[in-house]
Amino acid sequence: MAFGWRCTGVAWPGDVPRLGWSKGAERRVSTLAYGGGLGFSAVGERHCVGARGNVCPLGAVVSVRSTGARCPECARLDRAHSVAADTLLDDPRTYRVYLAWFGPGLVKVGITREERGAARLREQGAVVFSWLGRGPLMAARRTEEVLRAALGVPDRIPYARKRAVRGQLPGEQERLAEVVELYGRAAELEGRGWPESLERLPLGVVDHGGIFGLDRAPRATRSVRELVDGGVVVGELVAAAGPDLHLAVDGGEGEGGGVVVLDTRLITGWELAAVDPAAADDVRVPLIDIAGGGVQGGLF
């Protein structure tokens, strides 16, 4: 089954977001810049993106609202080889444990491979983070469990909650303070549940508000719920956090403008055709009101 260009999602190898594209064996990367235009329309149906670099053997059609864009078989294969599934018990690589802050009261603890640096934090949309420790995988995993219980923080926060608070972030000093306080409580656990094989790292709080563009962008009030065949997304990129692109749009057909969040996990698996941002500046796909909580259905 032949497809045109398909987006593989946003990556954050550095301080600038990049969109990946694939077309058969061809690969491309688009470096995104705030103030630049972004425009595309969805074509046909959404198909499974496969797993672990392998093409889905069925070319299965998948749900337009799925953020994974995988059929059940490919989803199982992808999960079976992930660190989160706890199947890589003999992984010899070094891992790091971190605290990630997404908004007031929204802090999680997690782990990532040391070689990836802070890329994992940027991919999750962490506004602020600090490393806690480094060591073998199982020691990192054990520390993660200990800290979740001791600090009362989760290991996962839904993206919907992250988006809801992103437009109301406090100043830099206030958001750093919560991470500093939790780091202090975590450090007190050394010798009391903290695995000996995990080296504690010094406090080093990093704030991503600037590289995400959140400190200068208008608050987002709506987000894309799904794409549809022929649906158009066009706007000016004003901010980005994790997989989310914040687009300033004019609106259309009676709708107001403002900033709309596009979760790029929703566009993977779609064939996308370019739309000139200079020729249009609106969004014609179903949206969700993330400011007031209502849902706006249908095309407009």
Side-chain angles (χ1 to χ4, degrees), residues 160-252:
R161 294 189 65 194
K162 298 176 187 179
R163 295 185 192 110
V165 301
R166 218 178 267 158
Q168 308 173 65
L169 296 177
E172 184 174 346
Q173 291 306 310
E174 186 176 344
R175 57 201 193 208
L176 298 185
E178 191 168 357
V179 175
V180 171
E181 189 269 334
L182 285 172
Y183 176 91
R185 290 171 55 192
E188 292 174 356
L189 294 173
E190 280 195 289
R192 297 190 295 116
W194 187 293
E196 294 183 0
S197 55
L198 193 94
E199 172 193 356
R200 182 166 65 86
L201 294 173
L203 175 67
V205 186
V206 177
D207 191 293
H208 287 148
I211 68 169
F212 287 166
L214 299 174
D215 289 339
R216 55 186 178 274
R219 179 185 179 186
T221 56
R222 295 174 294 170
S223 67
V224 173
R225 186 179 69 190
E226 63 197 53
L227 296 190
V228 293
D229 182 23
V232 175
V233 175
V234 181
E236 175 190 335
L237 183 66
V238 294
D244 292 346
L245 303 182
H246 292 220
L247 303 173
V249 303
D250 283 344

Side-chain angles (χ1 to χ4, degrees), residues 7 22 25 32-33 35 53 60 63 79 93 96 108 157 173 215 294:
C7 181
S22 67
L32 302 178
S63 167
R79 173 108 182 139
R93 295 172 294 189
R96 288 199 173 202
K108 61 161 282 187
I157 296 175
Q173 291 306 310
D215 289 339

Side-chain angles (χ1 to χ4, degrees), residues 81-99:
H81 293 83
S82 72
V83 172
D86 282 335
T87 56
L88 306 177
L89 303 183
D90 58 348
D91 190 335
R93 295 172 294 189
T94 299
Y95 282 77
R96 288 199 173 202
V97 184
Y98 60 80
L99 280 171

